[in-house]
Amino acid sequence: EVQLVESGGGLVQPGRSLRLSCAASGFTFDDYAMHWVRQAPGKGLEWVSGINWNSVNIDYADSVKGRFTISRDNAKKSLYLQMNSLRAEDMALYYCAKDYGSGSYPQVSHFDHWGQGTLVTVSS
Amino acid sequence: SYVLTQPPSMSVAPGQTAKISCGGHNIGSKNVHWYQQKPGQAPVLVVYKDSDRPSGIPERVSGSNSGNTATLTISRVEAGDEADYYCQVWDSSSYVFGTGTKVTVL
């Protein structure tokens, strides 16, 4: 059974940093691309960042480019999101999501498994 | 940036058919995926690549895509179908979600 467990969320002041983690199990982690998707309270889904199986291809939403860094450790079966210079508009539930494929064909990419999310609150 | 537009809400009686639209420029040329999200839960993939269903999704859930509109169809609607539904595509190195549709079962 695929399991994705996020951690690292919490209350942080504007301008500060936070690092999210996602522990994966139940599948061959290094065969698949992975993503972070967020959802602000009462709002819709927003893709944040994605990384292919070998970390060669990485993309970011314009809203976080230059502030967030995605990475993965295939040996530890873990996905990370380093979030710097946090803003009030970054406050959201952050989901870790598994891609259906390795990331080689993004045109057909979709998210076939999701974690339960970790909440990031940005407030002074 | 690419925009996907969905109706904010719709209501449907049990046993009837719900058709949820997702509008985007020339969306028929893209692969469209659909997610169901119930309150307090993570999204669940219900249709991928326009019309394929993951294992465990009933046949009464189907998808289509042509021109400027993709559609998720839920036949014989049940109380358990009450949820938010999001379409999603890939465009120019970015993954785009629709605005979401809240489906209420009367």
Side-chain angles (χ1 to χ4, degrees), chain A:
Chain A
E1 178 193 5
V2 172
Q3 285 201 326
L4 300 169
V5 180
E6 302 92 338
S7 61
L11 174 62
V12 61
Q13 293 178 328
R16 304 299 292 264
S17 300
L18 208 58
R19 189 194 195 207
L20 306 184
S21 299
C22 171
S25 61
F27 64 103
T28 305
F29 184 73
D30 52 11
D31 278 349
Y32 295 93
M34 298 293 295
H35 303 266
W36 290 99
V37 178
R38 68 185 181 183
Q39 187 170 35
K43 301 298 184 181
L45 300 172
E46 180 189 16
W47 173 80
V48 173
S49 181
I51 184 169
N52 79 324
W53 69 279
N54 62 0
S55 304
V56 168
N57 292 323
I58 290 175
D59 291 305
Y60 298 96
D62 288 343
S63 57
V64 306
K65 203 170 291 185
R67 300 187 299 122
F68 289 12
T69 302
I70 191 173
S71 61
R72 63 189 294 162
D73 185 332
N74 286 345
K76 294 183 177 180
K77 298 183 181 181
S78 292
L79 176 72
Y80 306 100
L81 186 68
Q82 177 66 42
M83 304 186 296
N84 298 333
S85 304
L86 282 161
R87 305 167 179 168
E89 54 264 36
D90 296 319
M91 185 162 65
L93 185 63
Y94 283 72
Y95 292 104
C96 168
K98 172 186 168 292
D99 198 300
Y100 97 106
S102 65
S104 298
Y105 302 100
Q107 303 91 327
V108 296
S109 270
H110 51 276
F111 315 119
D112 60 4
H113 291 87
W114 300 63
Q116 288 303 305
T118 187
L119 184 62
V120 173
T121 303
V122 183
S123 175
S124 54

